[in-house]
Amino acid sequence: MKKILVTGACGQIGSELVVHLGKKFGKENVISSDIKRPASIIKEFSTFMYLNVLDTHMLAREVVENEIDTIFHMAAILSATGEQNPQFAYEVNMQGLMNVLEVARRKEVQKVITPSSIAVFGPDAPKEMTPEDTSLNPTTMYGVTKVAGEKLMQYYHLKYGLDTRSLRYPGIISSETLPGGGTTDFAVDMYIHAVLNQPYTCFVTEDTPLPFMYMPDAIRAILELAEAEEDKLTRRVYNVHAMRLTPADIVDSIRKYIPEFRCEYQPDYRQDIAESWPHSIDDSAARKDWGWLPQYNLDDMTRDMLDKLREKHQKKVVHL
Ligand code: SER
């Protein structure tokens, strides 16, 4: 990895990934891109370009002009937003990935890394320790695009020898950039409300288990996968897991530090999405092949989240 392009660089994961890549590979070697206006930290650690992944000519131009050899394709519409406009989610997620893979193939990019999700699984997959190879019958458009995306990544590897790598992220909890339009966003919202001394109304029931991961682990996972020796990989798409949590688990953990935090529950359409997903996933292949090991448990994460959010709140940069 010498010259790296990150799409979706202003998103929840992209914005933190860019900072890590900039620190590790040098600002001059990281091109960040999005259709949103970047936070100043993104410009501190990378060169920012306005780029819509649906614009394949512009994408090709950036890859050629910057001699890109690695693409982290992070631009995507998430599950809840996707259900509000499934056709748009299809367009961004499918055409965006296809453009990235085609430009990579035609313009001699060596490696493409893109996240997949627990949303590839549907209600008929095993709920606990869900393995990689099981029924993939998602009931959201987001999940449909992630299954098809995984298959496209595998196809481009098989057919063209492109080094494609993907990991199925669980819900990601983070303090820096708000998640946008996901079903697992309630977890981040809880921490923000707690720090602002506000009660929270959660859109899934308190006993709905879902797999989660704290952002520092999520960033480490994607970087470790990207940098793993190719001959160690036994597959192109890996499950990664850290914590099985219900909303009540997160509330209990927050209350250890902020006892007055209150949460009530008013499930909406996102309850059905959450119920269609696994509770925990089996990531033994990632552990075996490239040494994946999550570091944060729930209380470690809660302490760190509350510290970081309090700091941001004091600087008045937490917006609801
Ligand atoms: N966090 C994502 C979502 O809720 C799952 O990949 O849509």
Side-chain angles (χ1 to χ4, degrees):
M1 297 202 282
K2 293 200 180 78
K3 270 309 226 19
I4 301 166
L5 172 68
V6 181
T7 71
C10 297
Q12 185 196 13
I13 306 174
S15 58
E16 297 205 34
L17 178 64
V18 162
V19 172
H20 279 78
L21 290 171
K23 283 181 185 161
K24 187 158 186 184
F25 296 97
K27 174 181 177 169
E28 63 289 0
N29 295 317
V30 181
I31 310 292
S32 57
S33 67
D34 207 306
I35 54 171
K36 290 188 196 148
R37 207 173 164 133
S40 53
I41 189 153
I42 292 176
K43 293 209 268 187
E44 210 178 298
F45 289 96
S46 66
T47 305
F48 182 80
M49 310 261 179
Y50 177 91
L51 175 66
N52 185 337
V53 289
L54 296 178
D55 183 346
T56 188
H57 297 291
M58 184 80 169
L59 179 64
R61 182 180 161 166
E62 297 303 345
V63 164
V64 169
E65 287 186 355
N66 294 292
E67 299 177 350
I68 297 297
D69 60 40
T70 303
I71 304 178
F72 284 86
H73 176 48
M74 312 302 285
I77 303 293
L78 296 188
S79 60
T81 312
E83 287 316 286
Q84 306 295 339
N85 191 344
Q87 294 72 22
F88 180 60
Y90 179 88
E91 193 187 358
V92 173
N93 295 2
M94 290 317 316
Q95 198 56 52
L97 177 61
M98 190 61 181
N99 290 347
V100 166
L101 289 170
E102 261 304 277
V103 166
R105 177 181 74 83
R106 289 190 279 112
K107 307 298 179 193
E108 295 157 50
V109 171
Q110 279 155 29
K111 210 181 266 186
V112 174
I113 304 108
T114 197
S116 185
S117 164
I118 50 162
V120 295
F121 301 112
D124 60 341
K127 287 288 175 202
E128 300 297 343
M129 293 293 277
T130 315
E132 269 107 354
D133 297 317
T134 185
S135 311
L136 300 178
N137 293 310
T139 50
T140 61
M141 179 55 90
Y142 175 67
V144 169
T145 65
K146 287 294 178 187
V147 173
E150 289 184 357
K151 303 294 177 201
L152 265 181
M153 294 280 281
Q154 286 167 359
Y155 180 81
Y156 268 72
H157 174 67
L158 200 67
K159 177 97 176 169
Y160 303 112
L162 184 64
D163 187 350
T164 57
R165 304 180 182 201
S166 184
L167 71 180
R168 289 177 182 152
Y169 272 139
I172 305 295
I173 298 178
S174 68
S175 56
E176 298 309 300
T177 304
L178 287 180
T183 302
T184 56
D185 294 8
F186 65 85
V188 176
D189 293 344
M190 281 177 176
Y191 286 102
I192 292 176
H193 280 74
V195 166
L196 297 179
N197 295 318
Q198 292 173 358
Y200 180 62
T201 304
C202 182
F203 52 76
V204 304
T205 57
E206 63 182 326
D207 55 356
T208 309
L210 284 165
F212 280 99
M213 184 179 288
Y214 192 34
M215 184 63 92
D217 279 335
I219 297 293
R220 209 165 39 75
I222 199 167
L223 291 178
E224 284 177 5
L225 174 62
E227 293 187 294
E229 300 284 340
E230 205 180 359
D231 60 8
K232 296 246 168 68
L233 303 183
T234 56
R235 44 194 315 126
R236 292 284 135 191
V237 180
Y238 286 88
N239 284 355
V240 283
H241 182 56
M243 300 172 262
R244 175 197 194 276
L245 302 175
T246 63
D249 292 332
I250 300 172
V251 170
D252 287 348
S253 177
I254 292 174
R255 280 198 190 135
K256 287 183 191 164
Y257 308 96
I258 305 180
E260 56 284 0
F261 177 56
R262 292 284 165 268
C263 184
E264 53 179 65
Y265 298 88
Q266 276 175 27
D268 64 15
Y269 70 100
R270 289 168 282 192
Q271 180 68 33
D272 291 341
I273 301 178
E275 277 178 24
S276 75
W277 291 349
H279 302 166
S280 61
I281 61 175
D282 177 3
D283 61 2
S284 49
R287 289 173 188 245
K288 185 160 170 279
D289 290 359
W290 43 277
W292 163 243
L293 198 62
Q295 285 174 355
Y296 283 84
N297 65 27
L298 174 57
D299 286 340
D300 296 339
M301 173 176 74
T302 296
R303 276 193 300 276
D304 201 52
M305 276 294 282
L306 295 176
D307 285 351
K308 298 242 162 68
L309 287 172
R310 278 194 188 109
E311 211 175 294
K312 281 168 86 80
H313 182 42
Q314 273 153 15
K315 292 186 199 154
K316 302 240 176 306
V317 288
V318 175
H319 302 287
L320 285 173

